[in-house]
Amino acid sequence: MGHRGVSSLLLSTTSGDVMKIFIAGASGAIGSQLVPQLVARGHEVVGTTRSAAKTGALRALGAEPVIVDALDPDSVADAVAKAEPEVIVHQLTALSGPPDFRHAKRMAAATNRLRTEGTDHLLAAARAVGVRKFVAQSNAAWMERTGGPVADENGRIEPNPPADVESAVAALRHLEDAVTGISWAEGIALRYGGFYGPGTGIEAVPDAVMAEQIRKRKFPIVGGGGGVWSLVHITDAASATVAAIERGKPGIYHVADDEPAPVRDWLPELARALGARPPRRVPAWLVRLLAGKAVVDMMTQARGISSEKAKRELGWTLRYPSWRTGFIEGLG
């Protein structure tokens, strides 16, 4: 993050309450942005990773690194007990690597376990040490497919998703219900829009996974491309998370930019920003046959989200209020 981003965060501080914060999944895309933002604001950060190879990077960001197996309740309980944090931030996913079908299925299954078992282990550990706030990563990809192109926090997760994504949607629902249902601490679920920018795979560096797919024209517009997506630059997602940690009330907040847009509008602009040719257009029936119903649904039926609550209640301001400027200025 540049000096402008750090200084604006420091200037916008409204709380002098310095906290000890335990970030589960600190070496991921959002964790890597979140740690330095919290450290810049004076907070003490303990960050988990599964990999000993990533401890040096976490330490360089300003966190105290700890290796944790998030699916082992004893490992989680021990790490949280030693850290004695006031806040736990749950950013655990297994979403990384090449998006081939088999790999994607494994990543989805692992992420589902982190959102169910991993959430439960973290909540149990949090309760045992008297954590006062628990903030968890959800996402807005599967908002209920009725009610107009944009949903606010009163919108619910789709109750009848395609069969090939049913377990993933159920895992999101479990996470949100578990976190916002606690009575012994403030539980907050953040429904993020789609990430782009450094560390997300949609960035202007060699071998960025999704950017490379777009350059190879392997990320097409499906059918009419009418699915509405809400996007958010990763530094803005992190600053919203900081605001939720410091000022959030129990419940759900949406975190995305101010311009929800159909895939057919934003994807060609992203391709142009990456120096790629325009995306191909592929019939929905063919994609359904090759990749399943969930992909078609996302590309043709998805709903965007409104983040007015986060801006109003958290005092959150976006560095990139629209993906139009974010794609030009913020891909790395």
Side-chain angles (χ1 to χ4, degrees):
M1 183 173 62
H3 297 298
R4 182 160 62 102
V6 172
S7 59
S8 66
L9 284 167
L10 290 167
L11 288 170
S12 66
T13 302
T14 60
S15 169
D17 186 11
V18 174
M19 295 175 282
K20 188 166 190 182
I21 300 167
F22 184 97
I23 303 177
S27 60
I30 190 165
S32 298
Q33 299 289 332
L34 180 58
V35 169
Q37 290 193 22
L38 288 169
V39 170
R41 295 171 74 85
H43 299 298
E44 184 180 351
V45 179
V46 175
T48 81
T49 177
R50 291 172 293 172
S51 168
K54 294 182 178 179
T55 57
L58 279 176
R59 193 173 282 111
L61 292 174
E64 177 189 336
V66 57
I67 300 169
V68 175
D69 177 357
L71 296 177
D72 177 350
D74 294 333
S75 176
V76 174
D78 183 57
V80 172
K82 286 179 179 174
E84 295 184 307
E86 295 153 270
V87 180
I88 287 181
V89 183
H90 175 3
Q91 295 286 356
L92 294 164
T93 72
L95 303 176
S96 63
D100 61 272
F101 183 66
R102 289 179 183 173
H103 194 83
K105 286 188 73 173
R106 285 198 302 273
M107 287 192 300
T111 297
N112 293 346
R113 288 191 68 195
L114 291 169
R115 286 176 173 156
T116 52
E117 298 167 48
T119 298
D120 293 346
H121 299 336
L122 280 169
L123 285 170
R127 187 170 192 175
V129 300
V131 162
R132 57 188 174 93
K133 182 171 283 189
F134 192 104
V135 179
Q137 175 186 145
S138 183
N139 70 62
W142 290 97
M143 299 302 295
E144 187 171 15
R145 301 307 199 224
T146 58
V150 179
D152 65 15
E153 285 82 356
N154 292 318
R156 59 178 182 167
I157 292 176
E158 172 56 47
N160 299 298
D164 50 339
V165 78
E166 202 164 11
S167 57
V169 176
L172 279 177
R173 191 179 294 110
H174 174 93
L175 178 145
E176 290 191 2
D177 290 347
V179 171
T180 60
I182 58 177
S183 57
W184 42 268
E186 295 181 309
I188 296 172
L190 301 177
R191 286 182 185 150
Y192 297 105
F195 295 151
Y196 68 95
T200 67
I202 300 177
E203 54 193 307
V205 298
D207 302 322
V209 177
M210 290 307 298
E212 194 61 22
Q213 295 295 303
I214 291 167
R215 289 193 184 98
K216 292 178 178 177
R217 305 183 84 196
K218 292 183 178 180
F219 195 129
I221 296 172
V222 177
V228 176
W229 288 34
S230 281
L231 304 173
V232 63
H233 192 277
I234 196 70
T235 58
D236 283 329
S239 69
T241 309
V242 172
I245 290 166
E246 293 183 342
R247 300 183 288 279
K249 298 291 189 286
I252 295 171
Y253 291 89
H254 286 175
V255 177
D257 73 17
D258 296 337
E259 194 173 353
V263 175
R264 61 175 173 257
D265 290 352
W266 64 260
L267 186 54
E269 293 299 320
L270 178 56
R272 186 177 292 113
L274 290 168
R277 294 161 62 199
R280 301 180 193 276
R281 290 180 174 266
V282 181
W285 66 264
L286 182 59
V287 175
R288 190 177 296 112
L289 196 65
L290 296 174
K293 292 182 179 179
V295 173
V296 174
D297 186 291
M298 280 295 303
M299 300 294 274
T300 63
Q301 302 295 323
R303 296 175 72 201
I305 54 172
S306 164
S307 301
E308 290 305 311
K309 178 182 175 182
K311 291 191 288 184
R312 182 179 67 249
E313 296 189 8
L314 304 178
W316 177 50
T317 57
L318 292 102
R319 184 174 179 183
Y320 299 107
S322 169
W323 46 267
R324 294 180 189 277
T325 51
F327 288 172
I328 296 168
E329 299 174 7
L331 291 182

